Amino acid sequence: MCLASALSGVIALTVAGCSPELRTLAAVYVDEQGTAHALLRSCDDGRVRGPGLRGTAARATEAGAEATEEEPAEQGTASEGTRREEPWIGWDTRGVRAAADFPLFAPPAEWAAEVRGPQTLRPGYSYELDFADPDDSYAYRASVTFDAGQLAALPVGEVLTDRGAMTREAFEDVAREAC
């Protein structure tokens, strides 16, 4: 009994230690011309791993209801071939990249991003902009989830983060403190 309790405690600590810490290092905003932008900050000499933007269609709330008509038709499969991956639009990269400020649907060309679907904000979609720490240590990750309505309602001069809306200056301070 004591051995079982000790083992379950070790397993719980191991599992808890594997989850990277979520840090406020990603934000989105709309500039004066109405263009959505991504802001990525880093704790590691300005580098981030695998930044990406994934938009998924909102699902109907009734059990058994169909997905919205705007949902892309393509379906991917997981590597095991047993789980179906939800269709998505946006872009995805692999490897280490420089943290940057860029138009949300135009990641830097040198990132060689895989692009899927229309590269514009779409009503009825939920988006997640995220990245991980560059050293593959799983120490931290950054993420911000939003939709077109949230960005449209964002006051001029503010950015949207995992902590909500704040000024760009406040975001830069929070990002520095997160490291």
Side-chain angles (χ1 to χ4, degrees):
M1 180 111 160
C2 290
L3 180 59
S5 294
L7 284 176
S8 64
V10 169
I11 291 170
L13 287 174
T14 302
V15 170
C18 291
S19 296
E21 176 185 353
L22 182 61
R23 296 185 183 172
T24 304
L25 297 169
V28 292
Y29 70 96
V30 178
D31 68 14
E32 296 80 21
Q33 291 77 36
T35 303
H37 280 260
L39 275 174
L40 307 180
R41 297 298 178 253
S42 173
C43 292
D44 300 289
D45 302 325
R47 301 172 304 133
V48 298
R49 177 169 300 281
L53 175 69
R54 185 171 286 246
T56 54
R59 301 279 181 195
T61 56
E62 294 179 25
E66 295 294 317
T68 64
E69 286 186 29
E70 293 183 34
E71 181 177 336
E74 60 186 286
Q75 291 273 335
T77 57
S79 59
E80 300 84 26
T82 58
R83 185 176 60 101
R84 288 177 56 156
E85 192 174 287
E86 189 171 352
W88 61 276
I89 60 175
W91 51 268
D92 192 31
T93 65
R94 301 212 187 305
V96 176
R97 307 289 177 215
D101 177 351
F102 55 90
L104 187 60
F105 290 99
E110 62 272 11
W111 289 10
E114 172 195 346
V115 176
R116 278 195 191 178
Q119 297 299 290
T120 58
L121 285 171
R122 297 185 71 187
Y125 276 70
S126 177
Y127 294 88
E128 180 181 24
L129 175 68
D130 70 342
F131 67 85
D133 72 285
D135 298 321
D136 264 346
S137 63
Y138 301 104
Y140 71 87
R141 68 181 191 85
S143 174
V144 59
T145 304
F146 60 95
D147 61 31
Q150 289 173 302
L151 277 183
L154 199 60
V156 174
E158 291 198 4
V159 300
L160 187 62
T161 72
D162 64 330
R163 294 184 181 186
M166 61 181 69
T167 66
R168 175 134 180 199
E169 295 78 24
F171 167 69
E172 297 293 353
D173 289 342
V174 167
R176 274 190 296 278
E177 291 169 10
C179 298

